[in-house]
Amino acid sequence: MKHRKGRVEGEILRELTKIIRKNIRDPRVSNVTFTAVECSNDFSYATVYYSLLTEDEQAQKEAEAGLEKSKGTMRHLLGQSLTMYKVPELIFKRDQSVIYGSKIDRLLADLKKQEQDRQN
């Protein structure tokens, strides 16, 4: 069962990426990148994690609103491409790992700068 769940999650991720690039014309979601999908055990819900290239709070809210508005269209197009009996309900959540990674990069750069200052 774990193998099937992983395959279905991967397929949903690939198809949603295609759908958002080709079929969704909303400018609010133009900078959205899907990073992962987690399905419930019965495949009735799929949590889709997304990231944005900007940390602007206004852009975050607009992207969230755009995803919610286009959720039905995405689910409909997903149902046409998947060979599942029931298409899962989509739940969108912001992927915090990108923000965390950039914070770690900034901290490492600061440490490197302090080390260079200490050596000089």
Short mmCIF file of all heavy atoms in Angstrom, two decimals, residues 51-79:
data_model
loop_
_atom_site.label_atom_id
_atom_site.label_comp_id
_atom_site.label_asym_id
_atom_site.label_seq_id
_atom_site.Cartn_x
_atom_site.Cartn_y
_atom_site.Cartn_z
N SER A 51 5.41 26.63 -2.53
CA SER A 51 6.33 27.66 -2.08
C SER A 51 6.25 28.84 -3.03
O SER A 51 5.82 28.71 -4.18
CB SER A 51 7.76 27.13 -2.02
OG SER A 51 8.22 26.81 -3.31
N LEU A 52 6.68 29.98 -2.54
CA LEU A 52 6.75 31.20 -3.32
C LEU A 52 8.19 31.70 -3.30
O LEU A 52 8.92 31.47 -2.34
CB LEU A 52 5.84 32.28 -2.72
CG LEU A 52 4.35 32.04 -2.78
CD1 LEU A 52 3.61 33.06 -1.95
CD2 LEU A 52 3.88 32.10 -4.21
N LEU A 53 8.58 32.38 -4.36
CA LEU A 53 9.94 32.89 -4.42
C LEU A 53 10.10 34.16 -3.61
O LEU A 53 11.21 34.59 -3.34
CB LEU A 53 10.33 33.16 -5.88
CG LEU A 53 10.36 31.91 -6.76
CD1 LEU A 53 10.68 32.29 -8.19
CD2 LEU A 53 11.36 30.92 -6.23
N THR A 54 9.02 34.76 -3.20
CA THR A 54 9.07 35.99 -2.43
C THR A 54 8.57 35.74 -1.01
O THR A 54 7.82 34.81 -0.76
CB THR A 54 8.22 37.09 -3.10
OG1 THR A 54 8.29 38.27 -2.31
CG2 THR A 54 6.77 36.67 -3.22
N GLU A 55 9.03 36.57 -0.10
CA GLU A 55 8.57 36.47 1.28
C GLU A 55 7.58 37.59 1.61
O GLU A 55 7.25 37.80 2.78
CB GLU A 55 9.76 36.50 2.24
CG GLU A 55 10.65 35.29 2.12
CD GLU A 55 11.79 35.30 3.12
OE1 GLU A 55 11.71 36.06 4.10
OE2 GLU A 55 12.76 34.57 2.90
N ASP A 56 7.11 38.30 0.60
CA ASP A 56 6.17 39.39 0.77
C ASP A 56 4.83 38.85 1.27
O ASP A 56 4.28 37.92 0.69
CB ASP A 56 5.99 40.13 -0.55
CG ASP A 56 5.03 41.30 -0.45
OD1 ASP A 56 4.97 41.91 0.63
OD2 ASP A 56 4.36 41.60 -1.45
N GLU A 57 4.34 39.43 2.36
CA GLU A 57 3.10 38.95 2.98
C GLU A 57 1.89 39.16 2.06
O GLU A 57 1.00 38.31 1.99
CB GLU A 57 2.88 39.66 4.31
CG GLU A 57 1.80 39.07 5.16
CD GLU A 57 2.09 37.66 5.63
OE1 GLU A 57 3.26 37.33 5.86
OE2 GLU A 57 1.13 36.87 5.76
N GLN A 58 1.86 40.27 1.34
CA GLN A 58 0.75 40.54 0.42
C GLN A 58 0.73 39.53 -0.72
O GLN A 58 -0.33 39.02 -1.11
CB GLN A 58 0.86 41.98 -0.14
CG GLN A 58 -0.27 42.38 -1.05
CD GLN A 58 -1.61 42.41 -0.33
OE1 GLN A 58 -1.68 42.60 0.88
NE2 GLN A 58 -2.68 42.21 -1.08
N ALA A 59 1.89 39.21 -1.28
CA ALA A 59 1.98 38.21 -2.36
C ALA A 59 1.55 36.84 -1.84
O ALA A 59 0.90 36.08 -2.58
CB ALA A 59 3.40 38.15 -2.91
N GLN A 60 1.87 36.54 -0.60
CA GLN A 60 1.47 35.27 0.01
C GLN A 60 -0.05 35.17 0.09
O GLN A 60 -0.64 34.16 -0.27
CB GLN A 60 2.10 35.16 1.41
CG GLN A 60 1.39 34.25 2.38
CD GLN A 60 1.50 32.79 2.01
OE1 GLN A 60 2.42 32.37 1.36
NE2 GLN A 60 0.52 32.01 2.44
N LYS A 61 -0.70 36.24 0.54
CA LYS A 61 -2.16 36.22 0.66
C LYS A 61 -2.83 36.14 -0.71
O LYS A 61 -3.83 35.44 -0.87
CB LYS A 61 -2.64 37.46 1.42
CG LYS A 61 -2.30 37.42 2.89
CD LYS A 61 -2.78 38.64 3.61
CE LYS A 61 -2.38 38.56 5.08
NZ LYS A 61 -2.84 39.71 5.83
N GLU A 62 -2.28 36.85 -1.69
CA GLU A 62 -2.84 36.80 -3.04
C GLU A 62 -2.70 35.41 -3.65
O GLU A 62 -3.61 34.90 -4.29
CB GLU A 62 -2.16 37.84 -3.93
CG GLU A 62 -2.56 39.25 -3.61
CD GLU A 62 -1.82 40.27 -4.46
OE1 GLU A 62 -1.01 39.86 -5.32
OE2 GLU A 62 -2.06 41.46 -4.26
N ALA A 63 -1.54 34.77 -3.45
CA ALA A 63 -1.33 33.43 -3.98
C ALA A 63 -2.28 32.44 -3.32
O ALA A 63 -2.85 31.57 -3.99
CB ALA A 63 0.12 33.00 -3.76
N GLU A 64 -2.47 32.58 -2.02
CA GLU A 64 -3.40 31.71 -1.30
C GLU A 64 -4.82 31.87 -1.83
O GLU A 64 -5.53 30.88 -2.05
CB GLU A 64 -3.34 32.03 0.19
CG GLU A 64 -4.08 31.07 1.06
CD GLU A 64 -3.88 31.39 2.54
OE1 GLU A 64 -2.75 31.72 2.93
OE2 GLU A 64 -4.87 31.30 3.28
N ALA A 65 -5.23 33.12 -2.07
CA ALA A 65 -6.57 33.37 -2.61
C ALA A 65 -6.70 32.83 -4.03
O ALA A 65 -7.74 32.26 -4.40
CB ALA A 65 -6.86 34.87 -2.59
N GLY A 66 -5.65 32.96 -4.83
CA GLY A 66 -5.67 32.44 -6.19
C GLY A 66 -5.77 30.93 -6.23
O GLY A 66 -6.48 30.35 -7.06
N LEU A 67 -5.06 30.27 -5.32
CA LEU A 67 -5.13 28.80 -5.26
C LEU A 67 -6.51 28.34 -4.83
O LEU A 67 -7.05 27.37 -5.38
CB LEU A 67 -4.06 28.26 -4.30
CG LEU A 67 -2.63 28.31 -4.81
CD1 LEU A 67 -1.66 27.94 -3.70
CD2 LEU A 67 -2.44 27.39 -5.99
N GLU A 68 -7.09 29.02 -3.85
CA GLU A 68 -8.43 28.64 -3.39
C GLU A 68 -9.46 28.84 -4.50
O GLU A 68 -10.37 28.03 -4.67
CB GLU A 68 -8.82 29.44 -2.15
CG GLU A 68 -8.12 29.00 -0.90
CD GLU A 68 -8.39 27.56 -0.53
OE1 GLU A 68 -9.55 27.11 -0.60
OE2 GLU A 68 -7.42 26.86 -0.17
N LYS A 69 -9.31 29.92 -5.27
CA LYS A 69 -10.26 30.19 -6.34
C LYS A 69 -10.15 29.17 -7.48
O LYS A 69 -11.15 28.79 -8.07
CB LYS A 69 -10.04 31.59 -6.89
CG LYS A 69 -11.03 31.99 -7.96
CD LYS A 69 -11.05 33.48 -8.14
CE LYS A 69 -11.90 33.95 -9.27
NZ LYS A 69 -13.23 33.46 -9.34
N SER A 70 -8.94 28.72 -7.77
CA SER A 70 -8.74 27.80 -8.89
C SER A 70 -8.75 26.33 -8.45
O SER A 70 -8.49 25.45 -9.26
CB SER A 70 -7.44 28.13 -9.60
OG SER A 70 -6.36 28.03 -8.72
N LYS A 71 -9.08 26.08 -7.19
CA LYS A 71 -9.07 24.71 -6.66
C LYS A 71 -10.03 23.79 -7.43
O LYS A 71 -9.67 22.66 -7.77
CB LYS A 71 -9.46 24.73 -5.18
CG LYS A 71 -9.46 23.39 -4.52
CD LYS A 71 -10.04 23.44 -3.11
CE LYS A 71 -9.16 24.18 -2.17
NZ LYS A 71 -9.58 24.02 -0.76
N GLY A 72 -11.22 24.26 -7.73
CA GLY A 72 -12.20 23.44 -8.44
C GLY A 72 -11.74 23.09 -9.85
O GLY A 72 -11.89 21.94 -10.30
N THR A 73 -11.19 24.07 -10.55
CA THR A 73 -10.68 23.82 -11.90
C THR A 73 -9.54 22.82 -11.87
O THR A 73 -9.48 21.91 -12.70
CB THR A 73 -10.20 25.15 -12.53
OG1 THR A 73 -11.26 26.08 -12.50
CG2 THR A 73 -9.72 24.94 -13.94
N MET A 74 -8.64 22.98 -10.92
CA MET A 74 -7.51 22.05 -10.81
C MET A 74 -8.00 20.64 -10.51
O MET A 74 -7.50 19.68 -11.09
CB MET A 74 -6.54 22.52 -9.72
CG MET A 74 -5.67 23.65 -10.15
SD MET A 74 -4.31 23.91 -9.02
CE MET A 74 -4.86 25.37 -8.19
N ARG A 75 -8.96 20.53 -9.63
CA ARG A 75 -9.47 19.20 -9.28
C ARG A 75 -10.17 18.56 -10.49
O ARG A 75 -10.03 17.37 -10.73
CB ARG A 75 -10.44 19.32 -8.11
CG ARG A 75 -10.85 17.98 -7.56
CD ARG A 75 -11.56 18.13 -6.23
NE ARG A 75 -11.90 16.82 -5.73
CZ ARG A 75 -13.08 16.49 -5.28
NH1 ARG A 75 -14.05 17.38 -5.22
NH2 ARG A 75 -13.32 15.27 -4.85
N HIS A 76 -10.92 19.36 -11.25
CA HIS A 76 -11.60 18.85 -12.44
C HIS A 76 -10.58 18.35 -13.48
O HIS A 76 -10.71 17.23 -14.01
CB HIS A 76 -12.47 19.94 -13.05
CG HIS A 76 -13.08 19.57 -14.35
ND1 HIS A 76 -14.12 18.66 -14.45
CD2 HIS A 76 -12.80 19.95 -15.62
CE1 HIS A 76 -14.44 18.52 -15.72
NE2 HIS A 76 -13.64 19.29 -16.45
N LEU A 77 -9.56 19.16 -13.75
CA LEU A 77 -8.54 18.77 -14.72
C LEU A 77 -7.70 17.59 -14.21
O LEU A 77 -7.27 16.75 -15.00
CB LEU A 77 -7.64 19.96 -15.05
CG LEU A 77 -8.34 21.10 -15.79
CD1 LEU A 77 -7.43 22.32 -15.86
CD2 LEU A 77 -8.77 20.66 -17.17
N LEU A 78 -7.50 17.53 -12.92
CA LEU A 78 -6.79 16.41 -12.33
C LEU A 78 -7.58 15.12 -12.51
O LEU A 78 -7.01 14.06 -12.81
CB LEU A 78 -6.53 16.68 -10.84
CG LEU A 78 -5.61 15.74 -10.08
CD1 LEU A 78 -4.21 15.80 -10.65
CD2 LEU A 78 -5.58 16.13 -8.62
N GLY A 79 -8.89 15.20 -12.37
CA GLY A 79 -9.75 14.03 -12.57
C GLY A 79 -9.71 13.52 -13.99
O GLY A 79 -9.87 12.32 -14.23
#
